[in-house]
Amino acid sequence: MAGWFSFLHGEATAGDVGAAEAVGAALRSAGIGHDVAWSPVFRPGGLSLNEAERRDYSALVFVCGPVSGEQVRDLHRRFPRCRRVAVGVSVVDPGDPAFLGFDTVLPRDGTGARPERDLAPGAPRRGRELPVVGVILAPGQPEYGARAAHDRVHHTLGAWLVSKDCARVSLDTRLDRADWRHCADPRQFDGLVRRTDLVVTTRLHGLALALRNGVPALAVDPVVHGAKVAAQGWAWDWPVLTVADHVRGPDPASLDRWWEWCLEEGRVEAGLRAADTVSPLGGRLVEVLRGEGTVLGGS
């Protein structure tokens, strides 16, 4: 079985891979053995097209996507002795050799006949529901000078996050009324955060706004020995990981431990924090403006 997820210069989408899983389930149910060819970029340890080409297969099944272009045409040259079948595909040009090279095409659209449902929604559902994790990363903060370890912290976090079986969503606290990719006001950002199960963050407001919405935050301060993120952790009585130098990022074992805590006990603890979110600084400001308080460092 092959698809656009098989090509070195193709791409693996949730739809393409889901369609392959649906077809694989149908073949297994029918007792038809098969292998799947993967791009060595997307799945380095999987069977590649180069390896599959050297094996003796009776059929090639191409799944999902458009049957057009040089990479699809190349499949016909690679597997000339196989019966070649395309399923769940879009027919863009009936005169394209990429289309004509198949012995049988079972299209989802493009032939003038009634469109068929895409294969991907029929993929088997596996295991438990996965947590949705919002990831909020701080930009470079030059005000911390040599103590700023953002690059190392974010590199370590990124490598660790791809090992976690979860639905990751990149969130940005920056607001923009003209760009749909950003929230326009804090209410909209709250709406996003509330729909996550966990926030992984190196931003002060990533931590604070997660707790405001009752969502546990796995927070890492990207400044050596900690700075404002760690300070917020103290203010909220919430754990924050810190780093000791620029060489070592956050310890993966510690990240794993706090990940488990956040998804279990941390849910309850975050709910408790959400019940009391008002900072005393607002009241102190009123006192100062009324001449009842003192100003730190003021005259």
Side-chain angles (χ1 to χ4, degrees), residues 132-196:
V132 176
V133 177
V135 182
I136 307 173
L137 302 182
Q141 295 167 323
E143 62 267 28
Y144 290 106
R147 294 176 59 206
H150 297 63
D151 289 347
R152 169 51 57 187
V153 169
H154 291 162
H155 176 79
T156 303
L157 269 180
W160 172 77
L161 275 168
V162 298
S163 73
K164 310 306 289 184
D165 194 11
C166 63
R168 295 176 291 273
V169 181
S170 177
L171 302 180
D172 192 343
T173 58
R174 183 170 71 86
L175 303 179
D176 190 327
R177 291 185 175 274
D179 187 342
W180 66 267
R181 290 167 293 190
H182 294 273
C183 295
D185 63 54
R187 288 185 312 109
Q188 296 175 6
F189 189 78
D190 282 342
L192 283 176
V193 171
R194 280 196 299 271
R195 285 163 175 78
T196 66

Side-chain angles (χ1 to χ4, degrees), residues 73-145:
R73 294 177 205 130
D74 185 56
L75 287 177
H76 303 309
R77 294 188 288 267
R78 283 176 178 265
F79 302 95
R81 293 184 298 276
C82 287
R83 179 186 181 192
R84 296 183 298 281
V85 180
V87 60
V89 295
S90 293
V91 179
V92 180
D93 178 7
D96 191 327
F99 168 76
L100 295 173
F102 287 102
D103 298 294
T104 304
V105 176
L106 305 173
R108 63 187 176 189
D109 60 72
T111 60
R114 185 185 70 179
E116 298 288 352
R117 290 184 182 181
D118 185 72
L119 288 161
R125 299 182 187 273
R126 295 177 287 131
R128 60 184 176 80
E129 187 173 341
L130 299 177
V132 176
V133 177
V135 182
I136 307 173
L137 302 182
Q141 295 167 323
E143 62 267 28
Y144 290 106

Side-chain angles (χ1 to χ4, degrees), residues 207 211 215-219 230 232-240 261-262 265-267 269-271 273:
L207 167 60
L211 296 182
V215 175
L218 198 169
Q232 278 300 298
W234 187 91
W236 286 87
D237 189 23
W238 190 266
V240 173
W261 182 84
C262 283
E265 297 100 311
R267 295 176 187 268
E269 293 295 329
R273 303 306 187 279

Side-chain angles (χ1 to χ4, degrees), residues 1-7 20 34-40 42-43 46-53 57 60-61 75 79:
M1 187 193 312
W4 285 93
F5 49 80
S6 307
F7 301 137
H34 67 281
D35 295 325
V36 181
W38 296 100
S39 164
F42 177 65
R43 194 166 293 183
L47 175 73
S48 70
L49 282 174
N50 288 340
E51 294 169 324
E53 189 177 0
Y57 291 107
L60 168 75
V61 177
L75 287 177
F79 302 95

Side-chain angles (χ1 to χ4, degrees), residues 56-70:
D56 186 22
Y57 291 107
S58 60
L60 168 75
V61 177
F62 183 82
V63 179
C64 201
V67 281
S68 63
E70 182 57 33

Side-chain angles (χ1 to χ4, degrees), residues 243-265:
V243 294
D245 52 50
H246 295 81
V247 177
R248 293 166 294 177
D251 174 41
S254 296
L255 291 170
D256 284 340
R257 183 169 64 253
W258 285 112
W259 171 280
E260 295 298 332
W261 182 84
C262 283
L263 291 175
E264 295 175 4
E265 297 100 311

Side-chain angles (χ1 to χ4, degrees), residues 14-25:
D16 290 347
V17 175
E21 291 177 351
V23 170

